[in-house]
Amino acid sequence: MTDRIHTVPTEPFDGQKPGTSGLRKKTRVFMQPRYVEAFTQSIFDAIGGVAGKTLVLGGDGRYFNDRAAQVILRMAAANGAARMIVGQGALLSTPAASNLIRRRGADGGIILSASHNPGGEDEDFGMKFNGPNGGPASETVTDAIFERTRTIREYRIMDAQDVDLSRLGEVRLGDTVVEVVDPVADYADLMAQLFDFAAIRSMFARGFAMRFDAMHAVTGPYARELLENRLGAAPGTVVNATPLPDFGGGHPDPNPVWASDLVDLMMGPNAPDFAAASDGDGDRNMILGRGIYVTPSDSLAVLAANATHAPGYARGLAGVARSMPTSRAADRVAAALGIEAYETPTGWKFFGNLLDAGRVTLCGEESAGTGSDHVREKDGLWAVLLWLNILAARDQPVDAIMTDHWARFGRDFYSRHDYEAVPTERANALIDRLRGMLEFLPGQKFGELTVAQADDFSYVDPVDGSVSQRQGIRVLFTDDSRVVFRLSGTGTEGATLRVYLERHAGPHADHAQDPDQALGPVIAAAEAVAQIREHTGRDRPDVTT
Ligand code: VG1
Ligand code: CO
């Protein structure tokens, strides 16, 4: 067997630095000879080798997913892994991979995905490493991986034919067992434990209509099994259900821009009761009711306020966590419930410790990620099923649930403006300028608003004490409105500036206002503080969500 194992020399590649969620680059960058190999060996080395270990492997089905999976399998075998658990067809949604790692007691997993970024030979590819808790590697681990990529000189790989990943069951690659599993079954079983499937089934049986847009990405098979097969939603409820290597040419990003068809349907005369969409790797969700779009920040708050309707959460929540740029709507619910609310930097990896320590049950991000302690990733279909469970239990339409929520807690009007592919120096200049201004901002007036506080968010992990600095510029105004500026860590071209805008309207205010109008003074203040136009050369954002 050993004669089939080769040690191959390589140079280190520049820039193999994991960002907000793994290493993300243009697909052609990943397709360079030895690129995937050097990064994979760096992961293996950084975690102390994989000899005797079990890893989970799968991806969102994008272009190059299958090729990268075969290389990683041959490398795992050459590095002495005991077992590789692979989703059939090399497919696994991110939450399903997280579940498999936990359920099977694996030592970690590699997920092949660039999530909401487009796929194809000229688009994006990505690789993420998750640890034994099923969650994204902590910053300490991603830093160690990056350090290794800078010094790596060789990798180990086995000569072998491609493993047939289309067939369930076990095969051997040298001494390594490659176990091909149904990507959906375990995950669907977990969902059945958390939610009142009988109540949801009976709601569908009474004619409740929904549309789920899988955006030609990995969630299609999961949504079909759960919604149509197990819950009895009408056939055809799930659209764009077959994962395609280029996601049908779109961005698999569930927001009003990239899922505009779904939004149009829900705002039109023939809208069903409920609609949802998910992203490339199935960890995000968009929620819509008839005539209403629910912002992800509001969705987290509503789920927190109503979670006990679901059997899996009937005992109540330990606490909730949200990423810093996410609106403070969830904090208001936590205060009312008398539970802890945590504010973490952007990226799911920061929730892991809080979940492991049992301090929080629900987590969420403004970018349409919501999840709970059932896995260690955000989970798009989970959020959809929790919504369905709540709709079934309350027997009210989505808009009534929102109106009721705002009447209790007030409404946090919210929007995010993205300026994409901005030249990196210009985006850095904007942020550096803001950093330099922070101490002088309090007391200054920008349009109608006066700054109360301003800082660059830094986070001390309450569980392990690790510190993450420079996580976004926060400007809080005296009327409790807020603007946050940060640069994306998932893009592959130049820099993406994200401007997060929010304004709280108390329980008795007018909640029916158009969000753009409600946010007018905050948008103007953001421009005045940061001189966005001058720095980016753009007079409006590329994407508004
Ligand atoms: C974005 C989102 C962040 C999310 C991350 C990964 O990061 O803002 O909330 O956790 O994507 O999500 P950034 O650095 O571009 O703002 V996914 O679904 O791409 O794994
Ligand atoms: Co994703």
Side-chain angles (χ1 to χ4, degrees), residues 210-256:
M210 123 170 228
R211 179 177 293 186
F212 182 96
D213 190 342
M215 303 190 81
H216 304 289
V218 80
T219 332
Y222 296 85
R224 274 230 166 109
E225 170 62 15
L226 281 158
L227 300 173
E228 297 183 13
N229 298 348
R230 296 199 187 193
L231 291 167
T237 294
V238 182
V239 299
N240 301 322
T242 305
L244 299 176
D246 68 347
F247 307 125
H251 290 214
D253 197 349
N255 64 35

Side-chain angles (χ1 to χ4, degrees), residues 398-412:
V398 175
D399 63 348
I401 288 181
M402 293 317 300
T403 310
D404 175 58
H405 186 88
W406 294 329
R408 271 180 77 194
F409 299 99
R411 177 171 182 184
D412 292 271

